[in-house]
Amino acid sequence: MNIYTKYFGNIKVDPRKIITFPKGIPAFEKSKQYVLLEIEENDNFQCLQSIENVEVAFFLIIPWNFFPDYELNIPQEDLKELKITKIEQVALYNIVSISENLQKMTANLLAPIVINQETLQGKQVILHQENYHTKHPLLFDEKKEEV
């Protein structure tokens, strides 16, 4: 299946790898089907591209690549909704907001994207953990850290 993407132009995707977000992603409820795209020569980021709307695409990270101490408790109702019964089913990502100034990139650690890898059902889960927020700095100014 061929789709046109926001960042990569026309590409071929395997229809068996389409991830369905039954309720969409908050603020993008009309887009329910996505593909997860690898970014050549970049292991840190992936792109979640809507197959229904070329303009809907999100850059994602695996949180532990940037935040090794990231801990979260996914609410039981969300696990049940996604039919997740074991940890091996879970793929977890965070949406990144990219700025022209790369030092100002942020990751949404408060609302991870959770995907059941077996059923390819996904959801953006809103956590109720006070130690995370929606604009957590992804890169840090080395000069500020030295002070």
Side-chain angles (χ1 to χ4, degrees):
M1 152 182 212
N2 286 323
I3 65 167
Y4 194 78
T5 68
K6 182 174 184 173
Y7 299 108
F8 309 107
N10 194 31
I11 62 167
K12 187 173 187 168
V13 296
D14 184 343
R16 295 171 294 179
K17 294 187 177 184
I18 293 172
I19 302 164
T20 301
F21 288 75
K23 296 179 182 176
I25 293 173
F28 301 93
E29 288 84 0
K30 291 183 180 177
S31 293
K32 299 190 184 309
Q33 294 189 311
Y34 292 82
V35 289
L36 192 59
L37 304 173
E38 301 292 326
I39 299 173
E40 286 185 31
E41 299 181 28
N42 189 326
D43 296 334
N44 290 316
F45 296 90
Q46 293 176 308
C47 183
L48 186 66
Q49 172 69 55
S50 167
I51 64 169
E52 300 154 321
N53 183 343
V54 68
E55 293 301 316
V56 178
F58 306 95
F59 283 104
L60 306 179
I61 60 166
I62 296 173
W64 299 282
N65 292 348
F66 293 87
F67 308 99
D69 298 330
Y70 185 58
E71 291 183 20
L72 68 157
N73 294 313
I74 301 171
Q76 278 302 120
E77 59 268 16
D78 293 316
L79 293 173
K80 186 175 180 181
E81 184 179 333
L82 291 170
K83 297 178 177 69
I84 293 173
T85 58
K86 54 189 176 199
I87 192 77
E88 295 81 20
Q89 292 173 291
V90 177
L92 192 130
Y93 304 92
N94 298 93
I95 294 176
V96 174
S97 294
I98 296 177
S99 168
E100 283 185 28
N101 178 348
L102 295 181
Q103 293 296 325
K104 293 187 178 185
M105 284 195 311
T106 61
N108 182 345
L109 298 185
L110 191 61
I113 298 291
V114 179
I115 299 170
N116 181 327
Q117 297 182 98
E118 293 176 3
T119 65
L120 295 178
Q121 297 288 300
K123 180 177 184 175
Q124 185 173 26
V125 174
I126 311 301
L127 303 176
H128 301 285
Q129 293 176 240
E130 294 180 13
N131 51 330
Y132 299 122
H133 42 89
T134 59
K135 295 195 178 288
H136 198 84
L138 190 60
L139 300 173
F140 301 98
D141 186 340
E142 293 175 19
K143 292 177 186 174
K144 286 183 182 177
E145 286 186 349
E146 291 175 6
V147 175

